[in-house]
Amino acid sequence: MSGSTLFMPVCDVSLSLIGLIAQFVDGKLERFVAKHSRGMHIVDDRHGFRPTGTEKWLKSGFLDHKKVMPLSILERQACYFMFSEPAAVCQNMFLASEAIGIGGWMHCGFLSREVLEALGFRTVVPHGIAMLANPVGVDGVFQSYAGNWVTRLIRRRGEPSIL
């Protein structure tokens, strides 16, 4: 509609998830693992509770195979954390538009994937199933820590590559 503006806060759940995983596996961070104990063994509970690529750290003793943490719980917690800020932003924008008398509508029922694709976001399509397409960012502008962009996080932190 002419004269309309769509504001859509975008957040990066992947960075939140990476940080949360680190807190559950690394005792040096002293968050959810005691300082000198082994980290939690994160498993993919949607695919038969298989390890999430952590076999190397299980064998070395860095992770404790008895302390199991389902990946779905970590994903849900990362989303809870990340989605609260955009919700507050939307609420504040709605209140501001009402205060200046232009009105507005806070609508959260749209499928953001299609909107993000229209804005030029690159999507990753797992297993060639279009319905599972996931927007991961706009190259060079807003890039999540998903896929080949994970190495940016490691370089940014100045740590040796563990991948």
Side-chain angles (χ1 to χ4, degrees):
M1 176 186 300
S2 179
S4 297
T5 303
L6 170 67
F7 293 101
M8 191 168 85
V10 177
C11 58
D12 182 4
V13 178
S14 61
L15 180 60
S16 177
L17 185 59
I18 290 168
L20 191 59
I21 288 172
Q23 294 172 32
F24 277 97
V25 301
D26 193 351
K28 292 179 186 176
L29 298 176
E30 298 183 57
R31 280 290 291 206
F32 301 109
V33 179
K35 189 170 188 167
H36 296 291
S37 67
R38 297 183 294 165
M40 295 183 130
H41 171 43
I42 300 171
V43 296
D44 186 349
D45 51 316
R46 291 186 185 102
H47 296 96
F49 288 87
R50 65 182 179 203
T52 55
T54 57
E55 294 87 349
K56 176 169 91 174
W57 296 289
L58 283 165
K59 287 178 187 172
S60 72
F62 182 72
L63 300 178
D64 187 343
H65 73 286
K66 294 179 184 175
K67 296 181 192 174
V68 175
M69 170 65 73
L71 180 60
S72 66
I73 290 175
L74 290 174
E75 290 171 336
R76 186 173 50 236
Q77 289 304 114
C79 288
Y80 288 158
F81 173 73
M82 287 305 299
F83 295 166
S84 60
E85 185 176 6
V89 168
C90 284
Q91 175 67 11
N92 288 337
M93 289 171 32
F94 175 72
L95 292 173
S97 68
E98 287 294 313
I100 60 176
I102 61 172
W105 180 259
M106 186 168 51
H107 178 64
C108 299
F110 56 87
L111 295 175
S112 59
R113 185 181 71 224
E114 287 81 5
V115 175
L116 292 172
E117 286 175 348
L119 293 172
F121 276 65
R122 182 162 60 93
T123 59
V124 172
V125 182
H127 311 294
I129 303 171
M131 191 166 109
L132 300 176
N134 185 31
V136 294
V138 178
D139 292 335
V141 178
F142 181 83
Q143 298 173 173
S144 70
Y145 292 96
N148 61 356
W149 290 328
V150 173
T151 54
R152 283 191 324 128
L153 174 67
I154 294 168
R155 286 191 199 116
R156 187 175 101 187
R157 306 251 170 140
E159 298 176 13
S161 176
I162 58 171
L163 302 176

